[in-house]
Amino acid sequence: LVVLPLVFFVRYRISRHPVHGAFLAEIFLWGFLFRVFLGLTIYHFGLELPLGWDSMTYDWYGLELAEVWRGGVGSDYLYHSQLAAPLSTANWGILYWAAAFYYVFGHNLLLLNCVDSAIGAATAILVMKIADALFGDREISILSGLLAAFFPSIALWGSQLLKEPLLLFCLCLIVYSMQRVAICFRLRYAVYIVGALLAILALRFVIFYVMLFTLTTALIAPSRPLSPVRLIRHLAVLGIVLAGVVYLVGAQEMLKGVEQQLQLERIEMGRQDQAKGLGPTGEEVGSGFSIDVDISTPKGALGHLPVGFLYFMFGPFPWDVWNLRQVTALPEG
């Protein structure tokens, strides 16, 4: 009752594309069904731990928050983490996303898996449109859409209660809206950009600052010559985006966030957390690499940059693969 009307509505909107409507609708539908199959399999066999155990954390917090909103009493851990107070913690978006669904429909992880599957399939359509605008080549657009719809790791992570399907959709929506603004200014595209930026801030605030900087740079220093009309259009969009973000977030909060995220000590703490590869019960499972490296100083950061960049762009390498999640990401390397 919840998912099918959403899917049919999105498919209908996609099918109205004047040139490739029918093909785009098929890509969306099959991409959605593929993700639903993965989500059902993970849900039925209880594979959240090996294939994306963060979803269990978000599921638990979401249920706890929904109970608090209904007038119940949450656990001491919930109040200790200050998540019961709105907007009081970093990356709160995914927790409130789950809680909102559970508040309305009850505890149903499978529902959220299906909704995220629809969002992930819609992202493939945005990728295809972005590729078409960049290259104007039908084959490149089709290949981009197919990879985004059916690539193993993208589909696997996009079929569960995780941040990735929401983040990817927001990022692609921003890029697509920027492309449309360059052609013809419409206020709705500026609204899409502001809304997607705020969603990213709630989901993964580090990416918010990177994306805001990228957007500002793209609008101020575009890659191709600007006509006076296009320059005015870009400046108008930049003004709307910055004014909207500053108004809704606050300039002081933004500057404070930038200052915190640029601290090498904080970056080192996050890198160590990732490198240790903690398991569901807190044990070190050894899935990371270079645990002994320290990037809390400029010298340490620059010294590790070549190796870190290599792993970031091309990892995991075949000799590093030892679990199912790494196997799904191996084609990306």
Side-chain angles (χ1 to χ4, degrees):
L1 292 176
V2 176
V3 177
L4 289 183
L6 171 66
V7 171
F8 285 128
F9 173 75
V10 175
R11 188 172 185 271
Y12 169 73
R13 293 287 299 174
I14 292 172
S15 67
R16 296 182 62 188
H17 190 276
V19 181
H20 311 304
F23 181 77
L24 291 173
E26 291 301 308
I27 289 289
F28 168 76
L29 180 60
W30 286 105
F32 167 73
L33 292 176
F34 179 51
R35 284 164 170 77
V36 167
F37 169 75
L38 293 174
L40 282 170
T41 303
I42 294 169
Y43 180 83
H44 179 73
F45 292 102
L47 299 176
E48 288 86 2
L49 279 178
L51 296 179
W53 63 274
D54 277 351
S55 64
M56 300 184 66
T57 302
Y58 305 148
D59 175 61
W60 183 85
Y61 271 120
L63 180 60
E64 286 278 295
L65 279 172
E67 291 299 325
V68 171
W69 293 347
R70 292 194 186 100
V73 179
S75 65
D76 293 337
Y77 186 75
L78 180 71
Y79 283 103
H80 178 70
S81 63
Q82 297 182 326
L83 286 171
L87 318 186
S88 63
T89 188
N91 301 329
W92 53 267
I94 188 65
L95 310 177
Y96 281 66
W97 169 261
F101 275 90
Y102 292 164
Y103 180 79
V104 177
F105 302 106
H107 185 208
N108 194 334
L109 178 59
L110 185 59
L111 169 63
L112 277 169
N113 287 353
C114 291
V115 171
D116 283 355
S117 296
I119 294 173
T123 303
I125 306 305
L126 286 177
V127 169
M128 194 168 177
K129 290 185 175 183
I130 291 169
D132 191 52
L134 283 175
F135 305 104
D137 188 296
R138 173 72 170 166
E139 293 184 3
I140 293 177
S141 301
I142 291 175
L143 180 60
S144 301
L146 291 174
L147 288 175
F150 301 108
F151 210 81
S153 61
I154 296 177
L156 181 65
W157 287 68
S159 61
Q160 303 179 69
L161 175 56
L162 296 170
K163 299 174 184 176
E164 280 68 27
L166 304 177
L167 280 171
L168 288 175
F169 178 82
C170 290
L171 291 172
C172 290
L173 180 61
I174 290 174
V175 175
Y176 172 74
S177 299
M178 283 290 297
Q179 289 179 332
R180 302 306 300 173
V181 162
I183 298 173
C184 182
F185 176 80
R186 292 288 185 274
L187 180 61
R188 67 174 181 270
Y189 293 122
V191 174
Y192 293 162
I193 293 172
V194 173
L197 280 172
L198 294 176
I200 292 173
L201 177 63
L203 291 166
R204 183 80 76 180
F205 61 95
V206 176
I207 299 179
F208 165 80
Y209 296 108
V210 175
M211 200 63 193
L212 184 61
F213 173 78
T214 303
L215 272 173
T216 305
T217 304
L219 289 169
I220 294 177
S223 59
R224 54 184 176 179
L226 286 179
S227 64
V229 174
R230 185 172 291 174
L231 177 61
I232 294 174
R233 190 183 302 157
H234 279 213
L235 292 177
V237 174
L238 178 61
I240 293 172
V241 170
L242 292 180
V245 170
V246 170
Y247 175 77
L248 294 171
V249 179
Q252 185 175 359
E253 289 297 321
M254 289 175 57
L255 292 175
K256 180 180 177 182
V258 171
E259 181 182 1
Q260 289 178 347
Q261 296 311 310
L262 290 180
Q263 294 176 356
L264 288 176
E265 293 83 358
R266 187 182 182 92
I267 297 174
E268 168 63 12
M269 290 175 59
R271 197 199 69 81
Q272 281 291 332
D273 180 58
Q274 297 295 322
K276 290 177 180 178
L278 298 181
T281 59
E283 77 281 9
E284 293 187 12
V285 296
S287 62
F289 68 96
S290 301
I291 299 178
D292 57 333
V293 173
D294 184 3
I295 63 169
S296 60
T297 63
K299 181 180 179 181
L302 291 174
H304 185 62
L305 181 61
V307 176
F309 182 78
L310 185 66
Y311 270 86
F312 177 77
M313 294 298 296
F314 303 107
F317 296 104
W319 54 85
D320 292 324
V321 173
W322 67 276
N323 61 38
L324 184 58
R325 280 186 294 177
Q326 290 173 323
V327 170
T328 62
L330 184 60
E332 296 177 8

